[in-house]
Amino acid sequence: MLTHNFSTGRKPALISVLSGLLIGLLVGCTHFAVIYHERETRFDNITRHLQYYLNNAFSELRTTIDSLQPLAEYPCADIASELTTRAAFTLNVRAFLLVDRGRAVCSSATGPMTTPLNQLVPEIDVRKPIDIAVLAGTPMMPDKTAIALWVRDPRQQDRGVFASLNANLTPLLLYPSRHDDFSGIALGFDNRAISSFSHQLVNPLQLAQPPVRQVKLNGVPLEVYLYASAWPKENLQFTLLLALMSVFISSVLCFYIMTLRRHPGKELLAAIKHNQFYVVYQPVVDTRTMEIAGVEALMRWKHPDAGEIPPDVFIHFAETQNLIVPLTQHLFNLIIHDAPTLQKVLPAGSKLGVNIAPGHLHADGFRQDIRSFVDALPAAHFQLVLEMTERDMLNEKVATQLFDWLHEEGHLIAIDDFGTGHSALIYLERFRFDYLKIDRGFIAAIGTETVTSPVMDAVLLLAKRMDLTTVAEGVETAEQADWLCERGVNYLQGYWISRPLPLKQLVAAHDEPAKYFRSSQTSITIQGQ
Ligand code: C2E
Ligand code: CA
Ligand code: CA
């Protein structure tokens, strides 16, 4: 959350968009798979239904035909009326013809006849036990497609029954027509079929669209073809809309979870736990001796992704999240950890400046925290200096008591950033300070804006009158140092002397001061050399 403002700022957004796209793709594909599966299941059901209906119809027809086979033994005149009745009561039958020795001898429609069957229907092969043909018409109804069925008498090679059937697909259409994505059916084989698309014969495999299903019937060499309309546009539009909505919703949700919902202070506490903080120490020199009189401890956060996070940012963040107490306690622990090494490079009596935020000063455990900190430091080695700004003294009564207590305990108090909005003159009167740290804004102006010099003069005079020790912050040039020394400033702190140094470098600087304090005068050394 906090570190997002730095290097990882775009990371959650990118992750959210990528996750959104992935989820959108998944939702889109899943929805498509579901509607595809539903459509396929519908086609399977329609096909099964048609197959069932037609198998039943042909099975009934076969039963009727089988019962007609013995009639061929009798003269047509005797059985013609029986034949006519059976044709009339069998669904979709136009005519039954009894065939003997390859000739149609009796018709349910016209009575006795002697025409060779292959002359009437050349497509039928009477040598086959069963044969079927799809016809454009029959002699009596030449324009109406029909199905011709031949069933040979199993007991007599050249006898059998021929049936011409109405190619009426209407009953078959009742069930599938309820489904939007159904477009039609055909019944036939090879390249001839009757269909719901045309009154003429069609090639079932060469219609505008290939069939989505093609199944065989039982007992008759016929196939059923099922045709579907193209994918409904609305389906695809809906899938696309759903996918886009999923991309949007999941991206927003993902971003929300990754940023807003995350407890903002969690990251800071996690950083404490994972030891991402460390302390740097900035030397402060005494202007009389130009020797290091102490250090200011400044906290650093090295985030694994975001890198170094400026202290102004995380200190302010910790204050707003009520985490300044655990953060300062952690600072104390880090200093305690460094103390044995610090003791080696800083002589007894060295000042140890620690910044205290207002939130901590007024916290219940403040006194205890200071006591535990001091108790854990090497005994009587460091002079603790608590650096505070005017903001720290909001509650005058409590602040006064705390200041008295700190002094009784032997600690010193510095008013930090003096001269900025944070530290006003009035506080100098109200509270007993030991040090006055002049803000680096004034120091930076030395030599560039002479206008500020009278103000600086006034500040220094005031400090002298009030018996306050002065520390100039942010000394960056020799010119500034000279100017401040001339005016009797007691201590200097700034890049001209040294940048804040990690412990290792502070030790190295102690061992080889010339290398680390190049910009300063050669007389600057760490005491104890
Ligand atoms: P500050 O207490 O006024 O600390 C001095 C700041 O001035 C430090 O910045 C230091 O690096 C910088 N500085 C020193 N010499 C020079 C110089 O010659 N030129 C310039 N331009 N800057 C110089 P840093 O470490 O970034 O800290 C900024 C502020 O964050 C500190 O101001 C302090 O208010 C706060 N801070 C840092 N560490 C802690 C901490 O452990 N606890 C608390 N409560 N606040 C801290
Ligand atoms: Ca300070
Ligand atoms: Ca300061």
Side-chain angles (χ1 to χ4, degrees), residues 280 282 296-300 310-315 319 324 327-328 331 354-357 387 389 391 416-417 437 439-440 473-476 493-496 498-500:
V280 287
Q282 187 172 34
E296 178 179 358
L298 295 157
M299 217 176 192
R300 293 288 178 266
D312 296 313
V313 175
F314 70 78
I315 296 289
E319 285 183 295
I324 195 69
L327 191 68
T328 312
L331 171 80
V354 176
N355 293 286
I356 297 295
E387 301 190 7
T389 62
R391 289 178 305 149
D416 205 353
D417 301 342
K437 294 192 84 171
D439 189 72
R440 64 170 180 266
E473 289 190 312
V475 181
E476 290 184 350
Q493 181 182 352
Y495 294 169
W496 182 68
S498 168
R499 285 184 176 262

Side-chain angles (χ1 to χ4, degrees), residues 255-333:
F255 191 74
Y256 174 74
I257 293 168
M258 286 182 76
T259 55
L260 303 180
R261 273 211 53 195
R262 223 160 80 173
H263 183 269
K266 235 181 176 175
E267 201 169 7
L268 204 97
L269 292 172
I272 292 178
K273 201 171 145 201
H274 296 121
N275 226 3
Q276 290 168 9
F277 290 99
Y278 64 99
V279 187
V280 287
Y281 301 92
Q282 187 172 34
V284 178
V285 295
D286 187 330
T287 49
R288 285 171 305 170
T289 59
M290 289 311 263
E291 284 177 348
I292 292 172
V295 289
E296 178 179 358
L298 295 157
M299 217 176 192
R300 293 288 178 266
W301 181 1
K302 190 165 169 43
H303 191 277
D305 298 328
E308 291 284 350
I309 297 166
D312 296 313
V313 175
F314 70 78
I315 296 289
H316 176 72
F317 180 75
E319 285 183 295
T320 57
Q321 297 296 321
N322 280 331
L323 290 173
I324 195 69
V325 174
L327 191 68
T328 312
Q329 287 169 343
H330 187 55
L331 171 80
F332 289 172
N333 288 335

Side-chain angles (χ1 to χ4, degrees), residues 325 328-329 332 360 363 365-374:
V325 174
T328 312
Q329 287 169 343
F332 289 172
H360 195 187
F366 177 71
R367 290 176 197 222
Q368 188 50 49
D369 286 345
I370 295 290
R371 268 214 178 111
S372 313
F373 176 46
V374 173

Side-chain angles (χ1 to χ4, degrees), residues 170-192:
T170 311
L172 297 178
L173 293 171
L174 286 174
Y175 174 71
S177 60
R178 279 181 287 157
H179 302 286
D180 290 343
D181 41 13
F182 162 81
S183 71
I185 53 171
L187 185 65
F189 60 94
D190 290 344
N191 56 359
R192 288 162 73 87

